[in-house]
Amino acid sequence: INALPHSLVAAFKSTLEEVAQADLLLHVIDSHDPESREHIGQVDRVLAEIGAAAVPRILVYNKIDLTQRAPRMERDASGRIVKVWISAATGEGVNFLIDALGEYFREQRQALTLQLPPTAARLRAKVYDRFDVVRETRLEAGGWLLELALDPAQLAWLKRQDGFSADYLTSHLPSVLAPTGSLS
């Protein structure tokens, strides 16, 4: 970023500004580069300039195969994963990165209850196809009560589906439901 002409950075500014809307940034760093700290600082300045300084971020230190470092994860004082050491070339540590992403997005999930009428069977099938249903209760009057644990992107997807009504969201429960399975 530092070596790019200012006019080129300005031309890409609108593209870069979309970064501010991201759920999570993966900042990939060449761990073998002796100037990596300066590069991190440059990226931090650009992120601040485009309004993305507050976007959650995981620093991914790549090329550990060249530095003889072991793959690992590092957490902050709050217990959140903030750094991961990997080698994209050898695959070492990639499992740590996958685990870090899974953990981050599981933490973003919120528990909610979805009450579907019998006419929403197609939407129910989509929900089962795409998400982990924590619990289902068949309603006496027909229909279903589904308890879900969704992250914000999953909830936004659900709200865009044909046949969805905001009335179906009967309550937002505290995040006490343990998410299970994969992140869809």
Side-chain angles (χ1 to χ4, degrees):
I1 292 174
N2 191 41
L4 293 176
H6 185 69
S7 59
L8 186 58
V9 172
F12 284 104
K13 191 166 185 172
S14 64
T15 302
L16 289 172
E17 286 171 347
E18 295 206 12
V19 169
Q21 304 304 315
D23 294 322
L24 175 68
L25 296 177
L26 296 179
H27 181 171
V28 181
I29 299 153
D30 180 347
S31 66
H32 189 251
D33 185 349
E35 296 180 8
S36 63
R37 288 181 194 232
E38 291 81 18
H39 296 303
I40 293 169
Q42 292 166 356
V43 170
D44 289 345
R45 285 188 289 282
V46 170
L47 291 174
E49 187 178 316
I50 63 173
V55 175
R57 180 175 352 170
I58 296 175
L59 301 178
V60 181
Y61 289 87
N62 190 23
K63 299 186 181 180
I64 62 169
D65 52 306
L66 300 177
T67 63
Q68 307 307 319
R69 290 190 175 155
R72 68 183 192 279
M73 291 188 291
E74 183 178 309
R75 295 176 183 272
D76 65 10
S78 301
R80 285 186 295 270
I81 298 170
V82 292
K83 297 178 183 176
V84 180
W85 280 264
I86 71 164
S87 169
T90 67
E92 285 182 284
V94 172
N95 56 327
F96 286 122
L97 181 57
I98 291 168
D99 291 346
L101 292 171
E103 184 176 307
Y104 175 82
F105 285 105
R106 274 189 302 277
E107 288 173 357
Q108 302 307 307
R109 286 184 167 190
Q110 59 181 311
L112 61 93
T113 302
L114 188 63
Q115 184 173 340
L116 298 176
T119 57
R122 195 171 281 164
L123 179 59
R124 177 179 171 266
K126 284 183 179 180
V127 167
Y128 266 96
D129 191 43
R130 185 159 178 117
F131 306 125
D132 296 322
V133 177
V134 177
R135 187 174 306 126
E136 177 181 289
T137 305
R138 184 130 174 94
L139 301 173
E140 287 183 29
W144 309 271
L145 190 66
L146 304 177
E147 293 178 29
L148 307 169
L150 303 179
D151 66 46
Q154 291 171 320
L155 181 57
W157 178 90
L158 178 61
K159 289 179 177 180
R160 290 190 309 268
Q161 296 311 297
D162 287 335
F164 178 82
S165 168
D167 295 335
Y168 295 167
L169 291 173
T170 58
S171 65
H172 287 274
L173 304 171
S175 294
V176 294
L177 299 175
T180 59
S182 64
L183 298 171
S184 299

